[in-house]
Amino acid sequence: MLTVSTVNVNGLRAAAKKGFVEWLAATGADVVACQEVRAEASRLPEHLREPDGWHTVHADCAVKGRNGVCLYSRIEPRATRIGFGEREFAESGRYVEMRLPGLVVASLYLPSGDVGTERQEEKERFMAAFLPYLGELRDKAAASGDEVVVLGDWNIAHAEIDLKNWKGNRKNSGFLPEERAWLGRVFDELGYVDVQRRLDPEGPGPYTWWSYRGKAFDNDSGWRIDYAVATPGLAERAVSAVVERAPSYDARWSDHAPLTVTFDWSPPA
């Protein structure tokens, strides 16, 4: 069995003070992908930078206090990679991957965007550059007999069942028609599979992010924007996908909840 988790920690040092350390110690995951780490790896305490029992790789952002992704793996990686070859995003702290036996696993933090601003233009440039890389990653992995899973905060709700207030968000970043169409290309043209939705095709949700404002969490008025996106061979072996929603608002250590997926899969002999 292989278990992977992904979570946007909304600042790793802050999350560590609220319960992330205890969660990491208790998780049964073989791989944990984190996004929005924010702190540079060199400024993280040892128990966060390289926890006992984990192999780690961190991708910092050149702008201090922004972005940042990392991977924790109980399985020793054969290789690691930061970035996906696009110069503009080489030091943006948005993508990192590990090559494990039989598997490429990545942590992605896709830009959030804001309609009518440079942030949205950055998001569009990222998507345009990242799509062909996903195709290359799929093809190279297939040639080696490997599977792929890209874990992370994709910052796009793909369908109406992926957010509570879809009618009110049709003109907002994260649910724009062109963003949803782009994610559709990841699935329909490139052949990747949204593992959560494969196991639970009906919805609504389960949501993975709730605003800290108002009663969003209490009312479960959330968005499903955190995904495990896998190649078909791996996706077909998925047996469970669970959103580890906190039992109460005050028990949260991030505005996102971990998504944990288990596959009936082991590396080829």
Side-chain angles (χ1 to χ4, degrees):
M1 305 294 280
L2 172 76
T3 299
V4 299
S5 289
T6 182
V7 61
N8 179 319
V9 294
N10 196 21
L12 184 55
R13 287 181 294 190
K17 295 176 182 178
K18 301 175 183 177
F20 172 80
V21 172
E22 291 78 9
W23 176 85
L24 186 67
T27 185
D30 301 290
V31 178
V32 173
C34 297
Q35 303 86 43
E36 208 171 348
V37 173
R38 295 183 185 166
E40 298 173 4
S42 62
R43 300 181 67 85
L44 290 171
E46 185 73 15
H47 70 284
L48 294 177
R49 185 172 66 252
E50 296 182 3
D52 289 343
W54 297 90
H55 303 276
T56 64
V57 58
H58 296 262
D60 298 335
C61 181
V63 180
K64 290 186 178 181
R66 296 286 304 279
N67 307 339
V69 291
C70 71
L71 286 165
Y72 298 106
S73 174
R74 300 185 195 274
I75 307 164
E76 184 175 1
R78 292 176 171 174
T80 61
R81 173 173 181 162
I82 293 173
F84 56 95
E86 184 69 18
R87 181 177 298 179
E88 178 182 358
F89 302 107
E91 297 180 350
S92 64
R94 292 195 177 276
Y95 184 80
V96 66
E97 67 185 34
M98 281 183 173
R99 294 186 177 269
L100 307 176
L103 178 70
V104 180
V105 59
S107 180
L108 167 71
Y109 181 38
L110 197 142
S112 57
D114 186 10
V115 172
T117 71
E118 158 58 25
R119 290 179 59 202
Q120 190 65 28
E121 294 173 2
E122 177 191 17
K123 184 175 186 177
E124 292 168 358
R125 293 194 303 272
F126 187 99
M127 292 189 299
F130 192 56
L131 191 72
Y133 178 75
L134 285 172
E136 295 170 12
L137 182 63
R138 173 206 59 195
D139 293 345
K140 289 179 180 178
S144 303
D146 297 337
E147 301 291 350
V148 176
V149 60
V150 181
L151 305 166
D153 180 355
W154 290 67
N155 264 315
I156 300 170
H158 185 225
E160 293 172 1
I161 58 173
D162 292 323
L163 70 167
K164 186 71 168 285
N165 183 22
W166 65 268
K167 290 183 179 179
N169 281 286
R170 286 174 290 187
K171 295 183 180 180
N172 291 333
S173 185
F175 198 59
L176 296 174
E178 57 267 33
E179 295 173 335
R180 298 168 61 196
W182 178 87
L183 194 51
R185 293 182 65 189
V186 173
F187 304 138
D188 300 333
E189 292 183 19
L190 299 184
Y192 284 92
V193 178
D194 175 355
V195 177
Q196 173 85 62
R197 192 52 76 215
R198 179 182 182 276
L199 293 173
D200 180 10
E202 300 300 325
Y207 309 126
T208 61
W209 174 80
W210 304 262
S211 172
Y212 276 130
R213 293 177 293 181
K215 296 286 186 178
F217 183 80
D218 295 336
N219 296 333
D220 199 24
S221 182
W223 294 55
R224 191 178 76 95
I225 54 177
D226 301 271
Y227 298 88
V229 174
T231 43
L234 182 62
E236 290 171 2
R237 307 301 294 271
V239 295
S240 70
V242 178
V243 175
E244 299 184 42
R245 190 179 189 272
S248 62
Y249 181 95
D250 58 2
R252 305 170 74 189
W253 42 263
S254 172
D255 51 353
H256 292 249
L259 168 64
T260 300
V261 181
T262 297
F263 301 91
D264 183 8
W265 180 89
S266 59

